[in-house]
């Protein structure tokens, strides 16, 4: 009963339009990650849902209640603020307990809940301190604890892991996912880290400049991005995009010719496709001057431990290739790259995806 | 010569002669001035408080006699009691009222800037002028209160001639004049509080009342303490308004320490006794301020 819906929500601050007509529905019990670059309006969307900001237009509902004009305290939500927003005059224990105290929970029950949450977030040893005696990452976990200690209709989390070190972030990622799953609480999770969005969420919503670009499950966001922005924002390293021309026997990319099936070719021509996109893991390195491959030069080789990223410059741009661990090549040496155009997607001049990656034929 | 040796030679040369004395020479005028206007008067007051005076002339050293005399002087004890109740009542009202106004004016709404400006006016009027205005309000024959009362069909209002009412009238004047100071300090304090914890509290489910009790007041404690200490110290020394309005009367009802001390020094020409009174008063204020600072420190978390 606590699906969250934005219908036609707009918000402008003076002349700055932070949200332009946001339509977004988070189904009950779902975990939705709101993903987008800095300044795209993620926090604004959360604040409107929390009731801290009035939308310029549109409607917000939680469950079947229209909450657009309700006070924050009447919305039954718990929020993790991007800036933590801890109570500076209270100890960590009192901070986490505060929402329970407001709800007149008995002291013994409070103590049990707070201790449990603190153990989950590895902050049990900090309970007697004051917020100013903590590091950024510790404060962030207190803010998280204060939210999840409750059992609200929805969790709103604004980049709750942004200040943690890499190891802790991985651990917490898993903990939050498990917790939200076991509580079954509808969660709106803001992040600009696409790995977090993909690994944690049931649904990912990608935003840019206040405009929602795509809402889909993580796999679909990754495999069938709605447009060039989503394709290049999601994935590390991002999808390679190069201009494409259509010749008689396939496509021409950076001087190389690659085969393309007839139906995809027809679809591309009909849609006025101008660019091709291919994920780094779908590109292969081959010997230079081979048929059905493009020629380029190794710009840099980056060993990642479990794999190697090779940045190849071709005549119309660059291509990042993800290849096996232990791969080496001299910087500046000639290289050939090739990919199966079934795995590519094609964008028109406006950046919309007109032809998607073909359904997986094994392998990836 | 090594670099280090050359550098240390430089340092030694720099610290010679005029270079060494210069800072003290530059400070000297300020220090002398401070001595002349601060230290000397205090010292002279303390010295006077240990002397016996007759007709305004010192006639001999009496040690701490003036001080011991104070504590068996019913007039002094009465003045002390009047002062403490005046200060407690006035500062309490001023703080509560100032806080309420500050909380209200911390919100943004149309005309709030103008309102903030208007609320400060009483504070910037010369105290004696305020006292004269209040005399016009309180006067029993043609004062504003009497006029209003008569137009409503009542009789003349007697304020300054009635002990309890005169006392409360002075408290009211002080509240009118000095609430703005508390308002100003507390408004600045409220506006410097971080915004996010309050947003968090609202999301956590706190009502405006709970937000005030659980967050605003605790976070405001240090500023509140400063405002109270400041006003308390200042209220102890209240003189001009009382002097203009009641001169301490009727009877002894509004005889503050400052008025009693003034009478002692200038009416009865007992300079030594008056000096002892004022030194004692200063020590009491100092003790109160130190205690307040102590409490303040205890209240703020480490
Ligand atoms: N109170 C405000 N007044 C004016 N402009 C604002 C205000 N709050 C946000 N904005 C603007 O609205 C836009 C969206 O801001 P928002 O805080 O929602 O971004 P965000 O997606 O959360 O970014 P980040 O990832 O950096 O936190 C930005 O251009 C920002 O400058
Ligand atoms: Mg943000």
């Amino acid at each position: 009963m606590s699906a969250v819906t934005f219908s036609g929500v707009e918000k402008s601050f003076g002349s700055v339009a932070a949200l332009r007509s946001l339509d977004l529905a988070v189904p009950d019990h779902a975990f939705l990650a709101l993903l987008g670059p800095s300044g795209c309006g993620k926090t604004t969307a959360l604040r409107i849902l929390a009731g801290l900001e009035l939308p310029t237009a549109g409607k917000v509902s939680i469950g079947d209640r229209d909450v657009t004009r309700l006070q924050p305290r009447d919305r039954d939500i718990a929020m993790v603020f991007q800036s933590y927003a801890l109570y500076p005059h209270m100890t960590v224990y009192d901070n986490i307990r505060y929402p329970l105290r407001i709800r007149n929970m008995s002291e013994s029950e409070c103590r049990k809940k707070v201790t449990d949450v603190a153990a989950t977030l590895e902050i049990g040893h900090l309970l007697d301190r004051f917020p100013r005696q903590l590091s950024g990452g510790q404060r962030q976990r207190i803010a998280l604890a204060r939210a999840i200690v409750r059992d609200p209709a929805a969790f709103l989390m604004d980049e709750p892991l942004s200040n943690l070190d890499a190891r802790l972030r991985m651990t917490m990622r898993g903990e939050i996912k498990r917790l939200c799953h076991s509580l079954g609480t509808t969660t709106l999770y803001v992040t600009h880290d696409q790995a977090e969005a993909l690994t944690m969420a049931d649904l990912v919503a990608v935003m840019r400049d206040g405009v929602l670009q795509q809402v889909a499950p993580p796999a679909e966001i990754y495999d069938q991005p709605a447009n060039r922005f989503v394709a290049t924002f999601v994935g590390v390293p991002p999808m390679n995009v190069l201009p494409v021309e259509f010749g008689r026997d396939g496509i021409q990319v950076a001087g190389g010719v690659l085969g393309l099936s007839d139906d995809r070719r027809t679809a591309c021509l009909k849609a006025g496709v101008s660019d091709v996109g291919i994920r780094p893991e779908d590109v292969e390195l081959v010997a230079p001057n081979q048929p059905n491959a493009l020629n380029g030069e190794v710009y840099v080789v980056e060993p990642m431990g479990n794999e190697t990223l090779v940045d190849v410059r071709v005549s119309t741009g660059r291509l990042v290739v993800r290849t096996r661990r232990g791969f080496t090549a001299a910087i500046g040496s000639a290289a050939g790259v090739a990919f199966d155009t079934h795995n590519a997607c094609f964008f028109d001049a406006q950046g919309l995806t007109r032809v998607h990656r073909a359904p997986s034929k094994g392998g990836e | 010569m090594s670099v280090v040796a050359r550098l240390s030679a430089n340092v030694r040369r720099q610290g010679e002669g005029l270079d060494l004395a210069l800072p003290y020479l530059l400070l000297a005028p300020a220090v002398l001035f401070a001595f002349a206007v601060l230290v000397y008067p205090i010292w002279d007051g303390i010295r006077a408080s240990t002397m016996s005076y007759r007709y305004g002339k010192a006639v001999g050293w009496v040690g701490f006699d003036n001080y011991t005399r104070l504590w068996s002087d019913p007039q002094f004890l009465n003045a002390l009691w009047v002062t403490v109740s005046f200060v407690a009542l006035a500062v309490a009202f001023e703080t509560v009222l100032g806080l309420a106004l500050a909380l209200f004016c911390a919100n943004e709404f149309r005309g709030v800037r103008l309102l903030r400006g208007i609320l400060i006016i009483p504070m910037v009027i010369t105290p004696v002028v305020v006292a004269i205005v209040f005399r016009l309000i309180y006067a029993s024959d043609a004062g504003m209160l009497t006029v209003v009362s008569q137009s409503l069909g009542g009789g003349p209002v007697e304020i300054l001639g009635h002990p309890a009412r005169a006392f409360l009238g002075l408290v009211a004047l002080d509240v009118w004049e000095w609430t703005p100071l508390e308002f100003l300090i507390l408004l600045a304090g409220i506006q410097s509080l971080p915004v996010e914890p309050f947003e968090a509290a609202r999301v956590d489910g706190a009502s405006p009342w709970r937000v005030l009790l659980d967050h605003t007041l605790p976070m405001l404690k240090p500023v509140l303490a400063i405002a109270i200490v400041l006003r308390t110290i200042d209220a102890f020394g209240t003189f001009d308004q009382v002097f203009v309005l009641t001169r301490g009367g009727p009877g002894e009802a509004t005889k503050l320490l400052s008025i009693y001390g003034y009478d002692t020094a200038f009416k009865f020409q007992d300079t030594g006794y008056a000096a002892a009174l004022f030194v004692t008063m200063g020590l009491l204020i100092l003790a109160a301020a130190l205690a307040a600072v102590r409490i303040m420190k205890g209240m703020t978390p480490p």
Side-chain angles (χ1 to χ4, degrees):
Chain A
M1 280 314 288
S2 48
V4 167
T5 324
F6 292 85
S7 354
V9 171
E10 287 173 28
K11 178 71 189 178
S12 21
F13 298 101
S15 59
V16 184
L19 286 180
R20 299 166 214 256
S21 192
L22 176 64
D23 285 297
L24 177 64
V26 190
D28 196 8
H29 305 309
F31 189 122
L32 180 135
L34 193 52
L35 178 66
S38 188
C40 72
K42 307 181 295 290
T43 298
T44 308
L46 274 204
R47 288 175 59 86
I48 287 176
L49 178 56
L52 297 169
E53 214 86 66
L54 262 187
T56 316
K59 198 177 104 166
V60 188
S61 38
I62 300 176
D64 42 19
R65 287 193 305 161
D66 179 354
V67 299
T68 316
R69 311 215 145 249
L70 239 48
Q71 282 292 319
R73 69 170 187 278
D74 300 323
R75 297 189 181 204
D76 192 24
I77 41 160
M79 180 160 171
V80 183
F81 287 73
Q82 189 168 10
S83 53
Y84 324 140
L86 299 178
Y87 307 128
H89 55 291
M90 293 185 184
T91 60
V92 167
Y93 178 80
D94 288 333
N95 262 279
I96 303 176
R97 188 185 58 148
Y98 189 71
L100 305 179
R101 216 181 89 199
I102 287 285
R103 284 166 184 75
N104 296 319
M105 193 176 278
S106 76
E107 183 53 48
S108 59
E109 210 174 334
C110 283
R111 180 154 290 277
K112 186 179 172 317
K113 284 205 153 203
V114 173
T115 333
D116 284 354
V117 169
T120 313
L121 296 180
E122 302 177 27
I123 47 175
H125 57 296
L126 304 173
L127 290 178
D128 295 328
R129 299 215 206 154
F130 283 91
R132 95 186 67 114
Q133 301 164 317
L134 302 175
S135 75
Q138 290 169 334
R139 288 180 205 186
Q140 197 156 34
R141 277 177 287 157
I142 312 301
L144 196 54
R146 188 176 61 187
I148 64 183
V149 78
R150 280 176 55 193
D151 183 16
F155 285 131
L156 317 187
M157 304 188 180
D158 200 346
E159 308 195 16
L161 304 181
S162 59
N163 250 311
L164 305 186
D165 64 63
R167 180 202 71 85
L168 204 52
R169 191 182 304 198
M170 295 267 276
T171 322
M172 290 301 146
R173 211 154 79 180
E175 291 295 339
I176 296 182
K177 184 173 179 174
R178 266 191 76 86
L179 191 105
C180 292
H181 192 78
S182 67
L183 293 177
T185 311
T186 312
T187 305
L188 197 54
Y189 186 101
V190 163
T191 176
H192 55 227
D193 178 348
Q194 50 91 36
E196 246 170 51
L198 294 182
T199 53
M200 298 174 78
D202 305 321
L203 278 175
V204 177
V206 183
M207 283 224 311
R208 176 198 198 182
D209 293 340
V211 182
L212 191 62
Q213 307 287 309
Q214 186 175 10
V215 189
E220 192 180 326
I221 290 277
Y222 193 77
D223 287 336
Q224 267 133 37
N227 56 38
R228 190 174 163 160
F229 173 78
V230 176
T232 50
F233 191 73
V234 176
V236 188
M239 183 184 277
N240 301 300
V241 179
L242 290 170
V244 65
E245 272 162 35
F246 292 85
R248 252 187 313 122
D249 29 306
I251 55 171
Q252 274 205 343
V253 183
V257 177
L258 298 168
L260 183 67
S261 68
D262 284 339
D263 48 341
R264 283 167 80 74
R265 179 190 159 86
T266 330
C268 284
L269 286 174
K270 215 167 84 189
V273 159
S274 64
D275 296 278
V276 61
I278 183 83
R279 295 261 173 219
E281 58 270 27
D282 294 328
V283 188
E284 283 182 295
L285 284 167
V286 295
N289 301 320
Q290 297 251 334
N292 291 327
L294 355 171
N295 288 316
E297 176 181 286
V298 175
Y299 188 73
V300 68
V301 179
E302 299 171 314
M304 306 288 289
N306 59 343
E307 63 189 15
T308 309
L309 300 179
V310 186
D311 190 344
V312 179
R313 294 291 149 121
V314 293
S315 62
T316 53
R318 57 178 280 208
L319 268 163
V320 176
V321 184
R322 177 175 277 167
T323 184
R324 65 181 169 81
R325 66 199 286 178
F327 174 89
T328 52
I331 287 181
S333 61
V337 285
F339 56 85
D340 183 344
T341 52
H342 274 98
N343 296 331
C345 54
F346 294 88
F347 308 110
D348 66 13
Q350 278 74 49
L352 286 182
T353 312
R354 304 306 295 252
V355 175
H356 282 286
R357 178 197 173 101
S360 180
K361 9 171 248 181
E364 256 291 311
Chain B
M1 211 195 275
S2 80
V3 178
V4 175
R6 224 180 309 144
L7 276 179
S8 58
N10 266 340
V11 170
R12 220 175 299 128
R13 218 174 301 129
Q14 261 177 9
E16 278 164 10
L18 187 65
D19 273 354
L20 259 182
L22 192 61
Y24 301 99
L25 281 175
L26 291 175
L27 274 175
V31 171
L32 282 177
F33 185 74
F35 256 94
V37 304
L38 269 175
V39 180
Y40 176 72
I42 292 176
W43 163 245
D44 203 46
I46 293 174
R47 209 187 44 163
S49 72
T50 61
M51 311 278 259
S52 174
Y53 282 75
R54 196 157 301 147
Y55 308 119
K57 286 222 165 6
V59 293
W61 195 75
V62 295
F64 287 106
D65 279 6
N66 285 327
Y67 289 93
T68 42
R69 215 176 105 199
L70 276 175
W71 298 100
S72 53
D73 173 0
Q75 292 208 62
F76 169 76
L77 294 176
N78 173 69
L80 185 60
W81 168 244
V82 172
T83 306
V84 169
S85 24
F86 172 82
V87 170
L89 212 56
V91 174
F93 268 109
E94 283 157 22
T95 308
V96 172
L97 211 58
L99 180 65
L101 289 171
L103 287 170
F104 181 68
C105 286
N107 299 313
E108 288 300 328
F109 52 88
R110 268 179 73 95
V112 68
R113 279 160 178 271
L114 184 69
L115 184 62
R116 286 177 198 154
I118 290 174
L119 282 172
I120 297 174
I121 291 176
M123 192 175 88
V124 299
I125 301 176
T126 314
V128 174
V129 175
V130 174
I132 291 171
V133 169
F134 268 74
R135 198 156 71 183
L136 295 178
I137 294 174
Y138 289 158
S140 57
D141 44 3
M144 199 178 90
L145 289 181
T146 294
V147 171
V148 170
S149 157
Q150 279 170 344
S151 74
L152 293 175
V157 183
E158 176 81 47
I159 301 267
L160 298 178
H162 181 281
R165 273 183 248 145
F167 177 78
L168 291 178
L170 286 176
V171 171
L173 182 155
D174 202 71
V175 169
W176 185 84
E177 187 172 5
W178 293 114
T179 297
L181 181 68
E182 297 258 3
F183 163 75
L184 206 60
I185 297 175
L186 295 175
L187 180 65
I190 291 171
Q191 285 179 334
S192 68
L193 294 181
V195 179
E196 293 92 355
F198 292 92
E199 294 184 334
R202 290 168 64 203
V203 172
D204 276 347
S207 61
W209 181 241
R210 287 299 293 263
V211 171
L212 176 70
L213 292 184
D214 294 344
H215 303 287
T216 316
L217 290 183
M219 283 197 235
L220 211 53
K221 252 184 205 165
V223 180
L224 209 50
I226 287 173
I228 291 175
V229 167
L230 214 63
R231 260 318 288 147
T232 303
I233 292 175
D234 203 36
F236 256 103
T238 305
F239 177 79
D240 0 17
Q241 300 93 322
V242 185
F243 190 76
V244 171
L245 276 180
T246 65
R247 300 242 168 170
E252 310 263 271
T254 60
K255 190 156 276 182
L256 301 180
L257 281 176
S258 58
I259 300 280
Y260 181 52
Y262 170 86
D263 285 349
T264 313
F266 297 103
K267 262 198 197 151
F268 313 131
Q269 306 263 307
D270 197 348
T271 316
Y273 191 50
L277 184 151
F278 282 122
V279 170
T280 305
M281 190 171 138
L283 290 176
L284 287 176
I285 295 175
L286 193 66
L290 287 180
V293 171
R294 249 249 155 69
I295 295 171
M296 229 191 295
K297 276 222 182 100
M299 285 187 318
T300 34

